[in-house]
Amino acid sequence: MRAALYDSYGPPEVLYEGRVPVPVRKPGEVLVRVHAASVNGGELYGRAGRVRFVTGRRFPQRTGLDFAGEVAEVGTEVTGLRVGDRVWGILGRTFGSAAEYVSVRPRQIAYAPENVTLTEAASLPAGGTTALTALRGKAGLRAGERLLVRGASGGVGSVAVQLGKALGAHVTGLAGAKNADFVRELGADEVLDHRATDLADLDRYDVIMDTVGTEHRALRRRLAPGGRLVSIAFDIDHPVRSIGYLLGSAVHGRQRVRFFSGNPKHDLFAELTAYVERGDLRPVVDTVHPLSDIAAAHRALEAGGVRGKHVIRVV
């Protein structure tokens, strides 16, 4: 089958479309024919070799975390799913969804929303479940609270803005000036230019969701009493210091910091499907790239200024 591969760590140009065997489906798994996958920030670090203590040195390596597609085969131990069902999900703590097929356990997927295409749907599983876990599960965001989303135009931030409004919060987005109108269209009550705004000058917020991973100390100071800072990233240039601060802040102090690395399961995907089908959440696709242009997709995400997700069309 066709798949996105790379034979060494490096810039986006190391990526290419190659061929690997179709996954061997186990009795408790389903084989999914992937229609599309999205490009996530963690994949950039993996491909560049910045987390090789996790990804190792065996090549070729794969890329792609989430996916949307159709069930191609159903294992003998699987119930409730049929060939042809539209599904979406995440591989878990591994890469490889930028390919024609993936084999997954039923808990890793759910029915995809019926009111969007599978290409559109592919933009949401990773970012959507991350934002939902962060805002409701980790921060306990309540109606009427003030929410700041840092990185509001990106793949996770664009979802967080929409979910924040759906949960009844007053939402402020921190994003680039050229994306201000876009973030307002997502539902933000206020948008601030991240280049022209000193974090020390920000208002106080009940919840801050950080998708960037830097300046956690400054952000924590902008929390209202009882406020919560949820970060989905750490400072990749200073990992030990950054992770140490996050762990310490999770235990000490009134304004605590929550940090997590998601590995969502079926119920969360199903809930995300409901948000989309109710109209509370819409997919945001910046650009659709064919699998053969996987390097261009990585290059575009690294360049910044993204609106939503870069999506890889496989079918």
Side-chain angles (χ1 to χ4, degrees), residues 41-124:
E43 297 163 48
L44 306 186
Y45 295 140
R47 185 218 69 233
R50 304 188 71 179
V51 288
R52 64 185 69 193
F53 59 91
V54 175
T55 54
R57 295 182 176 275
R58 295 184 64 181
F59 294 97
Q61 293 206 19
R62 306 272 298 276
T63 190
L65 178 65
D66 53 0
F67 59 89
E70 295 179 294
V71 174
E73 294 180 6
V74 179
T76 55
E77 297 176 2
V78 176
T79 59
L81 288 167
R82 297 179 299 177
V83 172
D85 283 343
R86 290 162 39 100
V87 295
W88 64 356
I90 293 179
L91 291 183
R93 302 190 186 280
T94 186
F95 295 133
S97 67
E100 289 186 282
Y101 292 93
V102 295
S103 189
V104 294
R105 293 188 176 276
R107 67 170 180 264
Q108 295 172 262
I109 59 175
Y111 294 123
E114 291 291 341
N115 58 334
V116 298
T117 69
L118 288 173
T119 299
E120 293 170 327
S123 68
L124 280 172

Side-chain angles (χ1 to χ4, degrees), residues 168-180:
H170 179 282
V171 180
T172 298
L174 197 59
K178 69 177 184 179
N179 289 327

